[in-house]
């Protein structure tokens, strides 16, 4: 208790908390985009449940990883070396997660360009398998993003209470933002393609990080923000044209 009181009275601790909360929220955006796109593929009655399960698993994984900080720190230690390039468990997890993300986004883009006809007779089994597959894929990416999130937290502060508060705060933001983001993506089909492009870029960034090439997150998110801004202008332009056509009619 005395330790917590001292921490609460420290301005440095509050600055670290604010910085870490912002960082965790930004890192959570990647996770949330993936969850939103994937759950939008499910039947409507399953979407909200899948999103809540996905975000809940993200919170559980992050808190579980926080309880094993000593183990997490060891994940950054080299395990083997190839052609002078050392690889740790963290590197291998990031590479695997990045490859999965690139594969998944590419598959979704292909499906959007050439959708397969749905067989009404197999609709029931598709729903069941689709939901289970969606949860499995969300769990896999939750693990990748959670490890990245916790390693970032460990690198920014040594105080466990600050890490826990920042992680919980970021997941709560994800929880409240999930429905609006999923609805926005669903209502604007062109945004889906843009979001899938984001996922490919994030996947390539994870792969690059796994091979030891540090990619400043600021560049990645600046590119995402710029692309999103262009898409917003396109949406406003389309709405203005539609409004003009409606008035003329």
């Amino acid at each position: 208790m005395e330790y917590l009181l001292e921490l609460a009275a420290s301005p440095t601790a509050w600055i670290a908390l604010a910085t870490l909360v912002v960082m965790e929220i930004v890192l959570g955006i990647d996770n949330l985009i993936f969850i939103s796109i994937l759950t939008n593929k499910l039947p409507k009655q399953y979407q909200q449940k899948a999103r809540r399960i996905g975000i809940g698993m993200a919170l559980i994984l992050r808190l579980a990883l926080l309880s094993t900080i000593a183990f997490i720190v060891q994940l950054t230690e080299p395990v083997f070396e190839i052609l002078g390039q050392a690889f740790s468990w963290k590197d291998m997890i990031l590479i695997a997660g990045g490859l999965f993300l690139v594969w998944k986004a590419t598959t979704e883009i292909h499906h959007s360009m050439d959708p397969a006809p749905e067989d009404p007779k197999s609709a029931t089994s598709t729903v069941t398998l689709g939901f289970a597959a969606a949860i499995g894929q969300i769990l896999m990416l939750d693990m990748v993003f959670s490890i990245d999130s916790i390693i970032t937290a460990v690198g920014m502060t040594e105080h466990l209470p600050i890490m826990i508060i920042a992680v919980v705060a970021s997941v709560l933001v994800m929880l409240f933002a999930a429905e609006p983001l999923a609805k926005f993506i669903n209502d604007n089909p062109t945004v889906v393609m843009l979001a899938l492009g984001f996922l490919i870029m994030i996947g390539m960034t994870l792969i690059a990080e796994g091979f030891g090439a540090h990619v400043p997150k600021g560049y990645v998110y600046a590119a995402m923000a710029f692309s999103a801004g262009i898409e917003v202008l396109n949406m406003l332009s389309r709405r203005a044209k539609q409004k003009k056509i409606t008035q003329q009619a």
Side-chain angles (χ1 to χ4, degrees):
M1 180 61 73
E2 185 177 344
Y3 166 69
L4 293 177
L5 292 174
E6 289 178 0
L7 205 58
S10 170
T12 306
W14 285 102
I15 293 172
L17 176 61
T19 305
L20 190 54
V21 166
V22 172
M23 284 293 298
E24 291 295 322
I25 290 173
V26 170
L27 289 171
I29 291 173
D30 305 342
N31 207 166
L32 190 55
I33 290 175
F34 180 81
I35 291 174
S36 298
I37 290 178
L38 204 57
T39 53
N40 278 350
K41 303 281 292 181
L42 295 171
K44 201 167 187 64
Q45 66 268 28
Y46 291 92
Q47 291 177 5
Q48 188 179 51
K49 181 180 178 182
R51 279 192 288 271
R52 289 180 176 175
I53 290 174
I55 295 172
M57 288 190 303
L59 176 59
I60 292 171
L61 281 170
R62 282 162 168 77
L63 293 178
L65 289 171
L66 275 176
S67 66
T68 58
I69 288 179
F71 171 71
I72 292 299
V73 172
Q74 290 177 359
L75 288 179
T76 60
E77 296 177 359
V79 177
F80 62 90
E81 188 174 309
I82 298 178
L83 300 175
Q85 174 66 48
F87 291 92
S88 65
W89 283 110
K90 177 200 171 188
D91 295 331
M92 289 184 282
I93 291 171
L94 290 179
I95 291 170
L99 288 171
F100 174 78
L101 206 52
V102 170
W103 169 79
K104 183 61 184 175
T106 304
T107 303
E108 291 297 326
I109 290 174
H110 176 72
H111 178 75
S112 298
M113 300 294 290
D114 185 23
E118 185 177 349
D119 183 5
K121 295 179 181 179
S122 61
T124 306
S125 60
T126 302
V127 168
T128 306
L129 292 175
F131 185 80
I135 295 301
Q137 291 174 23
I138 289 172
L139 178 60
M140 179 177 176
L141 262 296
D142 275 348
M143 175 63 74
V144 175
F145 287 124
S146 293
I147 289 175
D148 196 25
S149 169
I150 297 308
I151 288 177
T152 299
V154 172
M156 290 187 65
T157 181
E158 60 183 12
H159 302 296
L160 185 59
I162 291 178
M163 296 182 203
I164 293 174
I165 294 171
V167 166
V168 172
S170 67
V171 174
L172 286 176
V173 170
M174 287 173 61
L175 185 62
F176 287 113
E179 295 298 324
L181 179 62
K183 185 178 185 304
F184 179 75
I185 289 176
N186 193 51
D187 292 345
N188 299 276
T190 57
V191 175
V192 175
M193 198 63 71
L194 180 64
L196 289 171
F198 287 165
L199 291 180
I200 290 178
M201 183 168 62
I202 294 165
M204 293 302 296
T205 302
L206 291 176
I207 294 170
E209 293 275 356
F211 279 98
H214 177 64
V215 182
K217 293 291 194 296
Y219 293 150
V220 176
Y221 291 117
M224 290 172 65
F226 179 78
S227 303
I230 297 298
E231 180 60 25
V232 169
L233 292 177
N234 284 332
M235 290 168 58
L236 292 175
S237 175
R238 286 195 296 269
R239 288 181 182 178
K241 289 179 181 177
Q242 186 63 40
K243 186 177 180 181
K244 188 175 181 179
I245 292 172
T246 304
Q247 289 175 346
Q248 289 177 348

